[in-house]
Amino acid sequence: MEEFQRPPEAPVFEPSEEEFADPIAYITAIKPIAEKTGICKIRPPPNWQPPFALDVDSFQFSTRIQQLNELEARSRVKLNFLDAMARFWELQGTHLKVPIVDKCNLDLHKLHKVVHEEGGFDKICTEKRWSYISRKMGYDPTHSHASVGSLLRSHYEKTILPYDLFVQRTVQKVQQDVLVEPRSCASDPDFKVRKSKRCQGESAKVCVSDDTMEMKKLLFKSPGPKMSQNGARATAPETRASKDEHHRVVPDIETIYCLMCRGGDAEEYLLLCDGCNAAYHTFCLIPPLVVIPVSEWLCPDCLAKECHIMQDEVFGFEQNEKLYTLESFGQMADRFKADYFNRPPHLVPVDEVEKTFWRLVTSLDDEVIVEYGADIHTALHGSGFPWKDRILSPEHEVYSKSPWNLNNLPNLPNSVLSQINVNISGMKVPWMYVGMCFSCFCWHIEDHWTYSINYLHWGEPKTWYGVPGGYAEEFEKVMKRTAPELFQGQPDLLHQLVTLLSPTVLMENDIPVVRTDQHAGEFMVTFPRAYHAGFNQGFNLAEAVNFAPADWLSFGRHCVENYKHLKRHSVFSHEELLCRMAATVENIDPEIAVKTAEELGVVLEQERTQRDQLKRKGIAFSEHESFELIPDDGRVCCVCNSTCFLSAVTSPAKPGKLVCLEHAENLCSGHWMDCCLRYRYTLEEMKSLKTYAERRSQKYLTWKESVESALDASPERRPRQSFYVKICAVSNSLSLQELMIFVN
C-alpha cells in the first residue's frame, strides 16, 4: 500500500479590521496569491466572533452513509470488477474462488489489468511471457518466476478468462440492441443508483481463504432452487421474465432443444434459463459448464442483460432514515472516534487522523462506515448565523448585518449573484454540514465555477485539499486515466461528489496540491474551477455558500461551454443574467458593469457568427420569443441540455423540441427551409444593449483613472483645485456605493 505524502500548506491570510470591512474586495485583493493554490484560509480579526444562532432544541437532520473504501476511485474500480465477476459465476451456478499464490490471495483485478495491458491472454501465451507477468505483479524475485507464471496462467484461464469471453461475445451484442446513451444520475430521475451498501440481500457463499476480507464483503442476491436430483428442472421462483406472474411456466420437456446445437438429446445436461426458459446443453456453453448448477442460472443473453443492468447502476450515497439532533449525533461521533483511536477524541493528532483516513479509503481489507450530515438547507432548518428577519439582541443584530455573514455575502452589491432574483439553495442560500471523524466531501468544483466560502462554526478541524483552477483539465485527465471504467458510463462523475483520489497520486502525476486544517472560527475560500476535497477530523458544524465577484463572469461563460460538452444542465441561464445586468447597468456595481460590457461583446460576436451560419444553410423564418417567460425546463436544448435565452431553433417536424444554435444540425439537417430561428433580441438590439453598458462602464473607468492619476502624482505635480472640482462633479453622477468601492 502506498505511503501517504502530505501536500504543502495552503496560504493563510489575516486581514486587519479595515481590510475585513468588505469580504469580496478583500478576496479580490488576495486573489493573485490565493488562486495559484486554488484554496486559501482566512482568519478573521480576533474581535469578530459571531454567536451560534441555530435553534439546537428543534434542529434535526438526516445523514449520508459513507463506506470509506468505496469512495476512492481505484478501490471502487476493483470492487466493481470483483462484484461483476462474482455475479457472473453466481449466475452460472457456481461460486467465485480466490486462488492462493505465494501464500497470499491472488489480486484478480490486478492480474486482469496487467494481462490486458500486455496484449491479452492469447498474446501472452503465444509469446510465453507469464514469467514477466509474475514479475510485473510484484511476486518475490527470489522465487521461481516460471512456476509462479504457470500458476497465474492456470488461474487466469480458469477464473478470469470465461468472464472475459462472456464480456467480449455477449455484452457487446446486447449493448448494440438495447443500450441507450449514457445517462447522468443528476438529470434522469429514473436512473438506477447503487447505494454505498453494494447490494441488498443475503450473502452468497464465496470460497476464499480466512486471511482476507476482500471477497467476504461481496454481497449477492440469494440463489433459488435450480435442479432436482434426477436431473429434471424444478419449479423456479418468480424470475425477471415473469415478475408479473404468480408462477413460472415450464415448457414441456418434449419441446425443449438446445439453442446452440439444436439437439434435444442428453436431456440430463439441458439447462433451462431462469430468465427466458431458453435451453442449453452444459457442454455447448462457452465456456462449458463442468457440473450441473445447483442454484440460479441464466443463459448467455439473459446474463448479458443482467450484467448490463449492473453497469447501469451508478454509485451514490445511501441516505439514513434516522433523524439526529446535534446532541445525539455528537455523542455517536465522539464515541466512534474514541473507540477507533482508543483515546479521547481531542487527544488524537490531526496528522494521525489524516494518515489513517487515506489508508482507510485505499484499503479493501478495512471496512469503515461513517455518517455525514451534508447539504442541510438553512432555509428549512435555520442558519448558524443570526438572521435579519428575527428579533435579535444587540450583539446578534450586529452580526446579522455583517457582510461576512454567509446569508448576506452572496447578495452583496459587488457579487454577481445579487443580480439573480431567485434564491438558489446551496448557491445563494447557505447549506450546513455536520461532520464526524472521517466523514468527507469528495473532489469537485462549484456549480458554474463560482467562488465558494465555508465557515466552521465550532468543533474539531476540517482538513482541506485544493488544486489550482488552471490545473482543472490536467486533474480530470489524471482521474480518468486512473479509473477509466468509472467514467465510461458516467462522464459527469466528478460532478456527483462521490469520488476521491489520494493527493499522493495527484502529486505523482505532477498535479499541484495543497492542504490545510480549518479550525473553528476560520473561513475557507475556493476559487473558480479549483477542485477541492476534504474530510472532518471529528464532530463539527460548518456552513457554506457561493459568491461571484466581477471577474467571475468570464469563468461562468467558459463553464457553460463546458456544461454543453458534458450535456449537463445549468443552474441558471448565463446569457440571461448578462442581458439583465446590461439592461439595468446603472443600478449595478461599476466593476461588474465593466465586465458585463466586455462579456456581452464576446457573446454578441458568437451569436452573430452562429446566426450567419444558419442563414447560409437556408433557415429563412425567424420569430421573436420571450424566453424568460418560459420555465427553464421548457427551453433546454434537446442535444446538450443548455438553457436557451438569446436564441434557439425549432422544427415543425419535431414539435416540442428545440436546440441551441450550435446544435441546429441535429434538428434541421435535410429540411433547413422549414426550421425557425427564435430570438430574444435582434443583433441590433444586442449591439445597443452592449453600447449602453459600455457607456456606463466607460464613465466609471474615466473617473477612476483620473482619481488614481491625481492621487499617485507627487505633491508638486498634483493638479489644481479646479481639477478636483471637476472630479467631484463627475462623481456626483455616480452612486455613493460606487465611490465607496473605489475608496476601499
Side-chain angles (χ1 to χ4, degrees), residues 135-208:
R135 290 194 298 272
K136 195 168 181 180
M137 288 283 292
Y139 284 103
D140 190 346
T142 61
H143 292 185
S144 170
H145 284 295
S147 60
V148 175
S150 297
L151 280 174
L152 293 181
R153 171 179 174 167
S154 175
H155 292 316
Y156 194 101
E157 189 171 15
K158 293 178 181 178
T159 306
I160 302 177
L161 186 59
Y163 176 73
D164 273 350
L165 293 174
F166 156 73
V167 171
Q168 294 169 10
R169 297 180 183 181
T170 59
V171 173
Q172 185 175 4
K173 176 182 178 298
V174 174
Q175 287 178 339
Q176 291 172 349
D177 294 337
V178 302
L179 185 60
V180 296
E181 291 185 7
R183 293 163 290 175
S184 163
C185 63
S187 60
D188 187 349
D190 297 324
F191 202 48
K192 297 182 181 67
V193 176
R194 177 167 59 82
K195 302 297 185 183
S196 89
K197 187 174 182 180
R198 304 194 67 78
C199 288
Q200 302 294 330
E202 298 177 11
S203 174
K205 180 180 178 182
V206 178
C207 298
V208 61

Side-chain angles (χ1 to χ4, degrees), residues 207-427:
C207 298
V208 61
S209 64
D210 293 334
D211 60 346
T212 181
M213 292 291 292
E214 187 170 296
M215 296 304 301
K216 291 179 180 177
K217 297 174 193 149
L218 298 176
L219 302 178
F220 310 101
K221 298 175 183 176
S222 53
K226 302 306 299 178
M227 190 76 73
S228 63
Q229 290 183 348
N230 62 4
R233 173 70 62 175
T235 303
E238 183 175 300
T239 64
R240 299 160 189 78
S242 58
K243 57 176 126 182
D244 295 327
E245 301 171 0
H246 292 290
H247 300 285
R248 179 185 175 195
V249 179
V250 180
D252 191 322
I253 192 68
E254 298 297 329
T255 66
I256 296 176
Y257 61 91
C258 174
L259 292 185
M260 296 291 284
C261 68
R262 301 293 175 179
D265 56 345
E267 294 177 0
E268 67 273 19
Y269 294 105
L270 273 175
L271 294 179
L272 284 184
C273 172
D274 276 316
C276 65
N277 282 337
Y280 291 82
H281 284 122
T282 58
F283 49 78
C284 288
L285 293 167
I286 303 175
L289 288 181
V290 180
V291 296
I292 300 292
V294 295
S295 58
E296 183 181 22
W297 178 82
L298 296 181
C299 70
D301 283 346
C302 289
L303 182 58
K305 293 176 183 178
E306 177 74 11
C307 288
H308 173 60
I309 291 173
M310 292 174 64
Q311 291 172 357
D312 262 358
E313 295 176 350
V314 297
F315 182 81
F317 294 129
E318 183 180 358
Q319 193 73 22
N320 193 350
E321 296 181 359
K322 179 180 178 179
L323 287 178
Y324 284 101
T325 63
L326 283 178
E327 181 180 9
S328 61
F329 185 85
Q331 290 173 348
M332 179 274 294
D334 288 342
R335 184 168 57 251
F336 167 86
K337 187 175 181 180
D339 291 345
Y340 190 90
F341 289 100
N342 198 28
R343 73 193 90 161
H346 64 282
L347 295 182
V348 185
V350 293
D351 58 341
E352 182 180 348
V353 178
E354 183 175 30
K355 289 181 180 179
T356 304
F357 172 79
W358 289 109
R359 177 181 61 79
L360 292 174
V361 299
T362 55
S363 170
L364 294 182
D365 295 336
D366 294 300
E367 186 177 286
V368 174
I369 297 175
V370 295
E371 298 181 51
Y372 194 16
D375 300 347
I376 302 171
H377 297 210
T378 58
L380 299 175
H381 299 275
S383 168
F385 290 100
W387 280 12
K388 294 179 183 177
D389 59 350
R390 297 183 179 178
I391 300 175
L392 303 171
S393 65
E395 179 192 12
H396 282 213
E397 187 171 359
V398 170
Y399 287 101
S400 72
K401 298 176 181 178
S402 170
W404 289 89
N405 182 324
L406 298 193
N407 296 290
N408 302 330
L409 197 149
N411 298 299
L412 295 177
N414 47 353
S415 169
V416 175
L417 297 187
S418 65
Q419 303 302 311
I420 298 178
N421 297 329
V422 296
N423 287 329
I424 305 172
S425 186
M427 284 195 77

Side-chain angles (χ1 to χ4, degrees), residues 424-548:
I424 305 172
S425 186
M427 284 195 77
K428 288 190 63 178
V429 180
W431 279 349
M432 288 189 299
Y433 300 84
V434 184
M436 65 177 290
C437 184
F438 301 143
S439 63
C440 63
F441 51 103
C442 299
W443 287 112
H444 69 286
I445 49 180
E446 299 300 314
D447 286 337
H448 286 258
W449 299 356
T450 52
Y451 291 69
S452 75
I453 185 166
N454 181 295
Y455 181 74
L456 188 60
H457 284 284
W458 47 259
E460 296 196 61
K462 187 186 294 282
T463 299
W464 290 70
Y465 304 93
V467 172
Y471 281 82
E473 292 185 7
E474 287 79 3
F475 172 92
E476 292 164 1
K477 289 177 183 177
V478 171
M479 290 288 287
K480 292 174 182 177
R481 190 165 61 244
T482 303
E485 301 90 337
L486 299 182
F487 289 86
Q488 288 172 358
Q490 197 177 359
D492 64 344
L493 176 67
L494 289 174
H495 291 280
Q496 306 308 322
L497 284 79
V498 293
T499 307
L500 287 171
L501 188 64
S502 171
T504 303
V505 177
L506 294 172
M507 292 188 292
E508 288 173 351
N509 285 272
D510 299 322
I511 304 296
V513 184
V514 296
R515 60 144 344 260
T516 193
D517 296 310
Q518 177 193 18
H519 296 268
E522 295 178 339
F523 288 98
M524 287 297 303
V525 174
T526 72
F527 289 80
R529 211 184 180 185
Y531 275 96
H532 50 283
F535 68 93
N536 297 293
Q537 294 272 342
F539 180 41
N540 60 25
L541 187 145
E543 193 165 344
V545 79
N546 296 100
F547 64 99

Side-chain angles (χ1 to χ4, degrees), residues 21-169:
D22 187 336
I24 293 182
Y26 180 72
I27 292 169
T28 301
I30 64 175
K31 178 188 172 185
I33 298 174
E35 73 174 343
K36 294 178 181 178
T37 56
I39 64 172
C40 73
K41 182 162 65 175
I42 298 177
R43 292 192 181 117
N47 63 347
W48 198 84
Q49 297 182 4
F52 185 63
L54 186 69
D55 185 355
V56 296
D57 294 329
S58 62
F59 178 55
Q60 291 184 317
F61 60 96
S62 61
T63 60
R64 294 173 182 170
I65 298 174
Q66 298 179 327
Q67 182 173 316
L68 297 184
N69 63 358
E70 289 191 332
L71 302 181
E72 210 271 342
R74 295 165 299 171
S75 299
R76 194 187 310 156
V77 167
K78 188 172 183 177
L79 286 169
N80 287 348
F81 173 79
L82 294 173
D83 269 350
M85 193 163 63
R87 181 63 172 159
F88 165 79
W89 283 112
E90 176 70 16
L91 294 174
Q92 293 292 293
T94 186
H95 302 292
L96 176 64
K97 298 180 181 180
V98 180
I100 303 295
V101 176
D102 201 15
K103 299 181 181 180
C104 294
N105 290 286
L106 176 60
D107 188 335
L108 294 173
H109 175 261
K110 184 176 181 180
L111 177 60
H112 178 264
K113 185 176 181 180
V114 169
V115 168
H116 276 256
E117 287 174 350
E118 296 301 321
F121 179 80
D122 291 338
K123 182 178 179 181
I124 294 171
C125 290
T126 302
E127 298 177 357
K128 299 180 179 180
R129 300 176 63 210
W130 285 101
S131 294
Y132 169 76
I133 296 297
S134 69
R135 290 194 298 272
K136 195 168 181 180
M137 288 283 292
Y139 284 103
D140 190 346
T142 61
H143 292 185
S144 170
H145 284 295
S147 60
V148 175
S150 297
L151 280 174
L152 293 181
R153 171 179 174 167
S154 175
H155 292 316
Y156 194 101
E157 189 171 15
K158 293 178 181 178
T159 306
I160 302 177
L161 186 59
Y163 176 73
D164 273 350
L165 293 174
F166 156 73
V167 171
Q168 294 169 10
R169 297 180 183 181

Side-chain angles (χ1 to χ4, degrees), residues 614-615 618-622 672-677:
L614 294 184
K615 286 182 181 179
I619 289 187
F621 296 107
S622 61
W672 290 97
M673 294 289 291
D674 299 329
C675 294
C676 178
L677 169 67

